Structures are given as structure tokens and as C-alpha cells.
Amino acid sequence: MDLCSHMYTCSCLDVASLCKHIHKIHSYLIKNCTITSSSDRNNTHVTSDTLLLNTTNDFDEANEAKRILLSASELLDIHSHDAQFVCGWLIDEVINGYFWMLEHFNSHVLYIPSTTMLVIERNHSTRRLWEDRGEGINDSTLIIAPWNPTNYHWLLIAIDIQNRNILYLNPLENTNTSSLPPQANQAFTMMTGFLKNKMKIEESEWRLVCPPHILQEDNSSCGVYVCHYAAQLVKNELLTVPASAMLLRKWLQKEIGSCTLDNDNEKN
């Protein structure tokens, strides 16, 4: 998906220090620029209504397109350039871009890109992660990470460093800690190993927590809810306040669209 190396510089010709994810989305939404499909290097013109609307094959795409006001001609045009596009699911560039925003504007937050989560899952080196932060990682209190282990459903892994809690949030269900699904145990095992190597915190210090949270009510909004959970945790706000998928999509588009080059250097 044209993911950058997370060194927080954009690869385009514009002069900007924004992460490539954010700069690409910002340019598209604000400047009405062309966005190029990762599966077809020809120029791809897609309307801004579709950028935040990209899901699995497990539902009726035509009905989903109608629900989000996407015309049949737009859908056909998108498919002609990107056969893997399915209406409704957030692409990883959008999710990683938003998580980058949360880290960039909140000094107590660290984010792990979804690509790096796959590296951690395979127990490979993450030496370059947070290199630019140096010793600053020791001042962080929250780590947020979008995880898509099945390649069709997004989960949120969050780490409360001070309280030594690893949070597992699945938009499809509220998990009972007395009967954990395999993915929750997998997340806990791989993250405790990662934290021992990266932050020198022993595995025995951590516990797995599955906080109650609102759930998606469709087959395509897992990424939207994962972004919402992350934002709520960053602000230390409740995860149980009801919110519709469409409302959250509009909120997310506004959040990303408001990340302008002018406020790039601002941080809480």
C-alpha cells in the first residue's frame, strides 16, 4: 500500500515533514490531488467521498455503496484501477495516517504501524521503530497499535505502560477475560516479548485487559472503530459512549482533513 519506512518524511516532491500517510491523505482531501492506486501505477482519479471507504468480500458491496452514497459509476471506476478495493473498509494508509497523527500531536503517545505489527507477529527485529524518539520513548505512557492478523478484520492493541496493562479491543465483540479467544492470547504473548526487547520490561509484569467498548453493527467499519478506540484512549475518555459508524466516518474524515501543514509542528 505504498507504506513509508515510518521515518516521518514524505516521499512526494512537496516540501513537508508530515508522514507520507497523512500527507497523501491530506493532499487528496484538502488540495483535491490525484491519489495513485498501489495495485496499478497508472494515474487513478478517485473522488474524496471514497477515500475513507475501502472492505472484505463478506457482504453485499452494492448495498454498502448505496449506504455510503457511492455511485455505481464511481465504484466501477475505482475497480478498474484497483481490483482489490471493496467498498466500506478503511485502507491501511488511512488507519496508519490517523494513528501517526495521534502520536505526533500527543507527546505521551507512541504508535506502532500495522506493518510493524506484522513484523512483531513474526518475531522479527523492530530495531528501527521509534529511532527518532531516542530516550523520549521512556516518557511515553500509552502505545497504540492497529493490528490486522487475518487480513480482513482490524483490532486494536493498546499498552498502558504505567499500569502494565495490555488492552485488546475487537470491534465485533466484548471479550471475556475468563474465556479469551486465540487472537487475544496471541496478542498478549507477542506484545510482552516485544516490550521486553524494546523497553526492557519483564513479561511477568504485564496483564491482559479487555475493556468494555462499543461495537460495530455492520461488516465494514472495524477500522473506523479501531481509530475511535485509539482516540478515546489517548484522551482518557470512555469507550462505551454510543456512536454510529457513519458519524465516526465523518468525524475521522474531519480529523484527518484538519491535519494541515501549518500545524505540523504543534504538539500537546
Side-chain angles (χ1 to χ4, degrees), residues 1-2 24 36-41 81-82 84 93:
M1 286 290 191
D2 301 327
K24 187 173 184 179
T36 304
S37 167
S38 59
S39 60
D40 186 340
R41 290 329 237 168
H81 296 289
D82 186 355
Q84 295 182 340
E93 283 193 357

Side-chain angles (χ1 to χ4, degrees), residues 64-84:
E64 187 70 7
K66 292 176 183 178
R67 189 180 70 82
I68 59 176
L69 305 180
L70 187 62
S71 71
S73 61
E74 285 179 308
L75 193 58
L76 184 63
D77 183 50
I78 295 168
H79 282 162
S80 70
H81 296 289
D82 186 355
Q84 295 182 340

Side-chain angles (χ1 to χ4, degrees), residues 162-199:
Q162 289 182 325
N163 296 311
R164 298 295 195 263
N165 290 330
I166 296 177
L167 283 63
Y168 172 88
L169 292 99
N170 182 348
L172 284 176
E173 63 179 359
N174 277 294
T175 306
N176 188 336
T177 52
S178 63
S179 180
L180 293 171
Q183 281 181 345
N185 287 316
Q186 179 188 3
F188 183 72
T189 300
M190 73 184 202
M191 296 313 294
T192 53
F194 162 78
L195 291 162
K196 181 178 181 179
N197 293 331
K198 197 71 176 178
M199 306 186 83

Side-chain angles (χ1 to χ4, degrees), residues 107-110 130 132-141 199:
S107 59
H108 69 290
V109 173
L110 291 171
W130 306 327
D132 61 316
R133 296 290 290 265
E135 295 298 321
I137 67 172
N138 297 321
D139 298 325
S140 302
T141 60
M199 306 186 83

Side-chain angles (χ1 to χ4, degrees), residues 67-211:
R67 189 180 70 82
I68 59 176
L69 305 180
L70 187 62
S71 71
S73 61
E74 285 179 308
L75 193 58
L76 184 63
D77 183 50
I78 295 168
H79 282 162
S80 70
H81 296 289
D82 186 355
Q84 295 182 340
F85 178 95
V86 184
C87 185
W89 203 36
L90 293 194
I91 59 175
D92 48 5
E93 283 193 357
V94 175
I95 295 175
N96 283 314
Y98 182 65
F99 274 62
W100 175 86
M101 278 180 56
L102 291 174
E103 178 191 74
H104 189 71
F105 295 110
N106 296 276
S107 59
H108 69 290
V109 173
L110 291 171
Y111 120 83
I112 304 175
S114 61
T115 47
T116 305
M117 285 296 287
L118 298 180
V119 171
I120 295 171
E121 186 179 335
R122 291 161 175 74
N123 199 29
H124 293 167
S125 172
T126 57
R127 180 179 56 84
R128 294 186 64 188
L129 180 65
W130 306 327
E131 267 187 336
D132 61 316
R133 296 290 290 265
E135 295 298 321
I137 67 172
N138 297 321
D139 298 325
S140 302
T141 60
L142 178 66
I143 300 172
I144 50 176
W147 186 36
N148 191 348
T150 60
N151 203 34
Y152 64 81
H153 182 60
W154 289 99
L155 307 168
L156 176 67
I157 308 299
I159 300 166
D160 178 353
I161 300 174
Q162 289 182 325
N163 296 311
R164 298 295 195 263
N165 290 330
I166 296 177
L167 283 63
Y168 172 88
L169 292 99
N170 182 348
L172 284 176
E173 63 179 359
N174 277 294
T175 306
N176 188 336
T177 52
S178 63
S179 180
L180 293 171
Q183 281 181 345
N185 287 316
Q186 179 188 3
F188 183 72
T189 300
M190 73 184 202
M191 296 313 294
T192 53
F194 162 78
L195 291 162
K196 181 178 181 179
N197 293 331
K198 197 71 176 178
M199 306 186 83
K200 311 304 179 187
I201 303 175
E202 290 298 320
E203 293 156 303
S204 58
E205 294 186 40
W206 297 99
R207 67 169 183 160
L208 182 62
V209 177
C210 303

